[in-house]
Amino acid sequence: MLVDETKCVACGNCIDYCPMNAISLTAECAAVDQAECVECGVCLRSECCPTGALYRPELNYPRDIACFFSDPEATHPSTDVPGRGTEEMKTNEVTGRFPPGMAAIAIELGRPGIGTRFTDVEKVARAMAEFGVEFEPQNPVTALMIDKRAGTLPDDLKPVKVLSAIVEFGAPLEKVPAILQRLKEVEGELETVFSLDLAARVPEDGSLPFAGLELPYPLSINGKTNVGLGKPRFRE
Ligand code: SF4
Ligand code: SF4
């Protein structure tokens, strides 16, 4: 996002609308810190500017990537999904992607107020790739990877900041404790926050998946019953 200096009257209305604190003000004009702006579009959509001084120029790579991950009205071209560009498997797992014995893991990096750079996204992806995980193909972070087995991202993308990005993958249940332990080791290197989603089918005996395992994160049990909405294609 940019400010047209010829239109800005330095009223300061836009300052509090920015979830990344990317807008600053002098006596003459507002300015957007391009390193902190994630192109979420909140300032524009709120119509907070009385003079129309805020505007979004044409975005080219890699800045357009920030918009795809941060603006809920932008649709990610790799997945055709708006917002963060993925139908997270934690809430939409009706496709049978994870048969018995497999876990779905999503690591959601960044939040309004802090965001995340792809440097941190790659740190997490590379650490998870050490376990030979299968990154979710319908996920825009996966689509950006230059090596999907190693979890690496393009160098010119790494400094780009986005509101939030999700690393998603599937892994055998027995690998989950070691994978989460590795995530625990990496978390101290991250300059952002993340939330961790862990999903699996409830076994036929009704026992809770993951209960009784030694995990480095506390479990918060949430159940979801697939009642046939969506397009269930369960595999046996
Ligand atoms: S696009 Fe978003 S991050 Fe950028 S200045 Fe506007 S509100 Fe702030
Ligand atoms: S709301 Fe518009 S006119 Fe007021 S400081 Fe922000 S950009 Fe300038």
Side-chain angles (χ1 to χ4, degrees):
M1 200 63 61
L2 292 173
V3 176
D4 182 339
E5 295 180 11
T6 65
K7 292 182 180 175
C8 179
V9 294
C11 67
N13 281 1
C14 52
I15 304 287
D16 291 339
Y17 282 86
C18 178
M20 299 303 297
N21 292 320
I23 308 176
S24 58
L25 191 67
T26 66
E28 293 81 34
C29 189
V32 177
D33 182 340
Q34 297 302 297
E36 294 301 315
C37 171
V38 295
E39 298 294 350
C40 67
V42 168
C43 53
L44 267 189
R45 283 194 303 280
S46 66
E47 300 180 342
C48 61
C49 179
T51 64
L54 290 162
Y55 71 100
R56 178 184 277 159
E58 185 180 349
L59 301 177
N60 299 312
Y61 179 88
R63 195 150 185 87
D64 58 343
I65 301 295
C67 182
F68 296 141
F69 277 85
S70 308
D71 187 335
E73 293 188 347
T75 297
H76 204 287
S78 69
T79 58
D80 276 341
V81 177
R84 294 180 293 183
T86 175
E87 311 273 21
E88 298 107 283
M89 49 198 192
K90 74 177 192 295
T91 52
N92 299 283
E93 207 336 59
V94 293
T95 58
R97 281 175 291 184
F98 301 101
M102 288 291 284
I105 300 177
I107 301 154
E108 305 185 40
L109 295 109
R111 280 288 180 270
I114 183 166
T116 183
R117 295 195 193 278
F118 281 105
T119 312
D120 280 345
V121 176
E122 191 201 51
K123 275 181 198 162
V124 169
R126 290 182 67 158
M128 301 298 98
E130 293 169 12
F131 295 87
V133 303
E134 187 181 331
F135 289 108
E136 165 59 42
Q138 292 299 313
N139 171 293
V141 173
T142 306
L144 289 167
M145 289 177 184
I146 50 178
D147 183 338
K148 292 179 176 48
R149 284 192 303 176
T152 46
L153 293 168
D155 283 341
D156 56 359
L157 190 64
K158 291 178 198 172
V160 174
K161 194 168 199 176
V162 298
L163 208 61
S164 177
I166 309 177
V167 175
E168 296 176 281
F169 53 91
L173 287 175
E174 63 269 19
K175 286 189 177 180
V176 167
I179 286 172
L180 298 193
Q181 190 56 49
R182 183 73 183 100
L183 181 62
K184 193 74 182 167
E185 291 167 12
V186 173
E187 72 174 30
E189 301 171 22
L190 304 178
E191 295 181 1
T192 187
V193 297
F194 68 84
S195 59
L196 168 67
D197 316 316
L198 180 59
R201 292 193 198 188
V202 173
E204 287 188 5
D205 65 6
S207 60
L208 287 175
F210 313 114
L213 288 180
E214 287 278 324
L215 300 176
Y217 297 97
L219 280 179
S220 171
I221 308 294
N222 298 284
K224 180 175 181 182
T225 302
N226 181 357
V227 295
L229 302 175
K231 296 177 182 175
R233 293 192 296 273
F234 288 138
R235 296 189 294 259
E236 292 302 321

